[in-house]
Amino acid sequence: MEYGPCGGVRPDLTCEMADLPCPFAASGEVVPWIGPPVAEWRPDLTKPVILTDFTVRPYALDSISTVTAALAGSCDGVLVGEHHNRPDLPPTLMTRLLVDAGLPAWITLTCRDRNRVVLEQELAGLAVAGATAVLCVTGDGRAHDVRPDVTQVFDIDSTRLAALASGTGPLVAVAESPDAPPIALRPGRLREKQRAGAQICLLNHVGSPSRVAAFVDAARAAGVTLPVVAGVAVYTDERSAQALGLPGLGLDPVAVQRVLNAPDPVEAGIAAAVAEARALLRVDGVVGVNLSGLASGRGEVLGAQIKAAVGNALRDRP
């Protein structure tokens, strides 16, 4: 990694993968992009964008078809992750399956398992397959209990991947974690991703819309002009809430308990997500929301139905 820190920095500024200090966090300075600046281009977004996390069982075509059917018409695209703790179908194949089902595909591409030549191949394949956007992230390290015999690559990081993706066809998206330490470096780091070729930013979820507003204001002051899609935490039970409790991601504990203790946690979770999304869409600079998480610990179908209910409510009245 040359353009850190990533989102996995602990509160004591050590790495989430080992008890070692993060050198990027400890430096207190943003690493400037040294490649050629890319001509700025911003997507023409005339309405709030509603994205939905696409959660399916590994390698399961029946799961993909059921979830796509549940989400149809409720969102403007699905965000397909690339997971460090379980296998996924190749990004190009996932793109074709989603495009054939009528769902715009926002595909996450990580640097964990590929060198830059293979990443270039993936980007070319995503363009041919019809991906709407590629989310360029460094990626989590492989979980310790998942194929520990496999070498991890990390040839480049998210900033350089955004530069590779620029001009390949799909919209170039990058991620940022407003609440991940060191918080003060995050706006400047996003500016350098913009200089490398990023065209839109997807934020990891934070504790409150006011925190998103503060981050967007700080990013604008740092020179960031990217449109922002804010993360909305969707949970209806203990498991789906815990799944969102990752380093650098913040949930409002009061809101979580209000949902979990409600007579109908599913109804309460949908209402909480809709309210959060509407509040985020009122933040200047936020052009959309991403309905993030499992939504339910009782399977991907119910989770998709819950996220579809949130999306449909927002489409009826943003």
Side-chain angles (χ1 to χ4, degrees), residues 258-307:
R258 187 182 301 121
V259 168
L260 299 186
N261 295 333
D264 186 340
V266 170
E267 180 181 345
I270 292 171
V274 170
E276 181 184 13
R278 287 177 176 157
L280 288 166
L281 289 171
R282 289 193 292 268
V283 174
D284 187 32
V286 172
V287 301
V289 291
N290 176 50
L291 308 181
S292 172
L294 298 175
S296 172
R298 291 183 285 164
E300 75 276 10
V301 177
L302 178 57
Q305 292 169 344
I306 290 168
K307 286 181 278 192

Side-chain angles (χ1 to χ4, degrees), residues 47-242:
K47 64 178 181 178
V49 176
I50 301 172
L51 300 180
T52 301
D53 275 5
F54 192 71
T55 305
V56 292
R57 287 180 283 111
Y59 300 157
L61 293 180
D62 61 329
S63 178
I64 293 171
S65 61
T66 304
V67 170
T68 53
L71 293 176
S74 69
C75 58
D76 301 300
V78 292
L79 180 62
V80 181
E82 201 169 47
H83 301 88
H84 74 300
N85 58 352
R86 64 175 178 80
D88 297 289
L89 288 172
T92 49
L93 177 55
M94 283 298 302
T95 299
R96 286 307 316 168
L97 293 171
L98 290 170
V99 169
D100 289 347
L103 281 176
W106 291 54
I107 302 293
T108 303
L109 197 59
T110 75
C111 305
R112 177 181 52 245
D113 301 313
R114 309 172 180 89
N115 64 28
R116 69 192 71 196
V117 174
V118 179
L119 287 167
E120 289 174 345
Q121 293 172 337
E122 292 280 16
L123 289 166
L126 289 175
V128 172
T132 297
V134 55
L135 176 60
C136 301
V137 299
T138 303
D140 295 319
R142 182 69 64 194
H144 296 297
D145 58 344
V146 179
R147 297 295 299 271
D149 55 321
V150 173
T151 301
Q152 302 183 72
V153 180
F154 291 114
D155 184 26
I156 58 175
D157 50 42
S158 60
T159 303
R160 286 177 286 170
L161 179 56
L164 279 183
S166 177
T168 61
L171 186 66
V172 181
V174 293
E176 195 50 78
S177 300
D179 278 351
I183 291 174
L185 296 187
R186 299 293 167 186
R189 182 169 183 257
L190 181 56
R191 178 193 62 232
E192 300 311 309
K193 289 184 178 183
Q194 175 178 293
R195 294 185 65 234
Q199 296 165 336
I200 193 167
C201 174
L202 274 58
L203 297 184
N204 282 321
H205 56 81
V206 298
S208 68
S210 63
R211 277 289 305 124
V212 171
F215 174 81
V216 173
D217 286 346
R220 294 291 183 260
V224 175
T225 60
L226 298 177
V228 170
V229 173
V232 173
V234 187
Y235 52 88
T236 58
D237 52 28
E238 192 74 36
R239 184 188 171 202
S240 54
Q242 288 180 349

